[in-house]
Amino acid sequence: VQLQASGGGLVQTGDSLRLSCAASGRTFSSSVIAWFRQTQGKEREFVAGISPQGYIRNYADSVKGRFTISRDNAKNTGYLQMNSLNPEDTAVYYCAAKGWTGGTSIYQSRREYDNWGQGTEVTVSS
């Protein structure tokens, strides 16, 4: 599956953004979709992930209660709704996909994912 992330931009503290991850290929509906983010000099970190049918959703502690991950398999698109943004959320956001093999939690290591989008930049000013 090929992925393309979009929706980033420059916003102020407290604002909201919705990122989209458009996918091509037949395996989207059977894939885990996850969002990671990375700032310069730091490791790419897990933000949120969702199972193929949306029953399992995991979030990093830093975004719980503010971010919501979702997907529309009919549109081959994943989303990350980000509310109450703060400067610590400034990063390049990447979506990733991996075939789902079952389980009760989403893969949170970037090494688990073999399909990545190109990244979309989010900047939150104070």
Side-chain angles (χ1 to χ4, degrees):
V1 59
Q2 293 182 323
L3 306 172
Q4 184 167 358
S6 62
L10 172 62
V11 296
Q12 294 184 332
T13 297
D15 284 351
S16 299
L17 274 176
R18 188 175 81 156
L19 305 183
S20 297
C21 179
S24 61
R26 299 180 180 180
T27 60
F28 179 82
S29 61
S30 62
S31 298
V32 168
I33 298 298
W35 289 93
F36 287 74
R37 66 187 182 186
Q38 188 171 22
T39 55
Q40 194 169 8
K42 292 189 177 181
E43 292 275 325
R44 191 171 296 187
E45 64 174 5
F46 175 81
V47 175
I50 186 169
S51 61
Q53 299 307 314
Y55 298 129
I56 301 172
R57 307 183 194 204
N58 291 151
Y59 298 91
D61 288 342
S62 59
V63 306
K64 280 180 183 175
R66 301 188 298 121
F67 291 12
T68 302
I69 190 170
S70 62
R71 64 192 296 160
D72 186 337
N73 288 342
K75 295 182 178 180
N76 270 17
T77 303
Y79 304 98
L80 184 67
Q81 177 67 42
M82 306 187 295
N83 298 330
S84 301
L85 286 162
N86 61 61
E88 289 70 39
D89 297 314
T90 295
V92 178
Y93 284 72
Y94 298 89
C95 60
K98 175 182 170 60
W100 176 244
T101 57
T104 58
S105 65
I106 303 301
Y107 321 111
Q108 299 192 15
S109 169
R110 60 182 174 85
R111 296 174 181 82
E112 294 279 358
Y113 292 84
D114 43 18
N115 290 289
W116 292 87
Q118 84 287 5
T120 184
E121 189 166 4
V122 173
T123 303
V124 185
S125 64
S126 58

